[in-house]
Amino acid sequence: MRAIRKQRSVQPPAGTLSLASAGRTVPVDVALRLPDVMLLVIEDACARIAEADWRLRRPSWRRPRARLRWYRERRQLRAKTARVRALAKEYLDR
């Protein structure tokens, strides 16, 4: 019998918000002061929620057309994540 490892939840430090798409964190006070950064935090959250929803709607392999549409949607989600990553670099590296 193999031991099952518990996956630890990686929480951002207190007082910060996680930008998972960009692999960064942002202090809460900065997000509250700068509207562009707050918009970035919201866009990141929306991208993560959309990806979680996408994973739950995986069609059966018996439905090839639905599966093709599902994969196309993944490309769109990846483009959105790339856009959030680029915006994070632009806003946070100023």
Side-chain angles (χ1 to χ4, degrees):
M1 184 174 194
R2 287 181 16 198
I4 299 174
R5 287 186 186 177
K6 286 186 179 180
Q7 288 185 343
R8 283 189 267 159
S9 175
V10 179
Q11 296 291 327
T16 62
L17 299 170
S18 174
L19 294 174
S21 299
R24 300 176 80 161
T25 58
V26 176
V28 173
D29 61 326
V30 171
L32 292 174
R33 265 187 298 125
L34 302 171
D36 289 341
V37 176
M38 181 54 82
L39 181 63
L40 183 62
V41 170
I42 293 168
E43 285 288 328
D44 179 71
C46 289
R48 287 191 286 167
I49 290 168
E51 186 168 336
D53 177 61
W54 173 81
R55 288 179 195 275
L56 291 174
R57 294 182 288 107
R58 183 178 187 169
S60 168
W61 62 271
R62 295 180 185 138
R63 299 178 55 214
R65 288 184 183 151
R67 194 92 162 164
L68 182 61
R69 286 191 302 271
W70 188 71
Y71 282 121
R72 284 183 189 145
E73 186 178 352
R74 178 178 62 178
R75 284 196 299 265
Q76 292 172 345
L77 290 173
R78 285 185 176 172
K80 184 175 186 176
T81 301
R83 185 178 68 113
V84 170
R85 193 176 310 117
L87 288 172
K89 184 174 178 155
E90 179 184 339
Y91 291 150
L92 301 176
D93 292 342
R94 288 184 200 174

